[in-house]
Amino acid sequence: MTDASPNVIRTVLHPVSDLAKAKAVYAALLGIPPQTDSPYYVGFDVEGQHIGLVPDGGPQGMTSPVAYWHVPDIEAKLAEVAATGATVKEAAHDVGGGRLVATVTDPDGNVLGLLQDR
């Protein structure tokens, strides 16, 4: 899922308590089966948008959906948003396939995600 437009939301992850039930609901809503279907993550790709289901909030302990901005340089963007008052919650790390993710919180505690594909 690459695109020439940086700094846009193309990925939203949702924590779910029952992966099988959530998968059925999202498949019906989106009208397609998941493209990624594992016990620890289910993902749907629809017209350039990725919707992911994370059982029990995953290792990052998500308690609400997190939107991920796709950026060309995750470390530079982390530094930029931290300089303006965001707090780094989860430092940039590789989640496989050369994909880096990080999260920050805004001054009100909202979690914002950053994602870079290498």
Side-chain angles (χ1 to χ4, degrees):
M1 183 185 309
T2 60
D3 189 303
S5 305
N7 302 329
V8 296
I9 297 172
R10 285 193 295 264
T11 301
V12 180
L13 302 183
H14 299 267
V16 298
S17 60
D18 185 318
L19 190 59
K21 287 181 181 178
K23 178 172 51 173
V25 169
Y26 281 81
L29 176 68
L30 300 170
I32 60 168
Q35 286 71 45
T36 304
D37 192 351
S38 71
Y40 58 88
Y41 187 81
V42 171
F44 297 86
D45 291 307
V46 182
E47 297 182 17
Q49 185 73 41
H50 183 78
I51 305 298
L53 307 178
V54 182
D56 300 318
Q60 62 270 47
M62 292 171 33
T63 58
S64 64
V66 176
Y68 283 80
W69 277 262
H70 288 231
V71 299
D73 184 339
I74 198 166
E75 293 295 347
K77 188 56 71 175
L78 274 172
E80 181 182 351
V81 298
T84 64
T87 301
V88 176
K89 178 176 175 31
E90 180 182 24
H93 63 283
D94 194 309
V95 293
R99 176 168 281 183
L100 300 174
V101 298
T103 55
V104 299
T105 55
D106 70 11
D108 292 304
N110 297 302
V111 178
L112 312 170
L114 301 174
L115 184 153
Q116 175 189 338
D117 284 317
R118 296 193 262 178

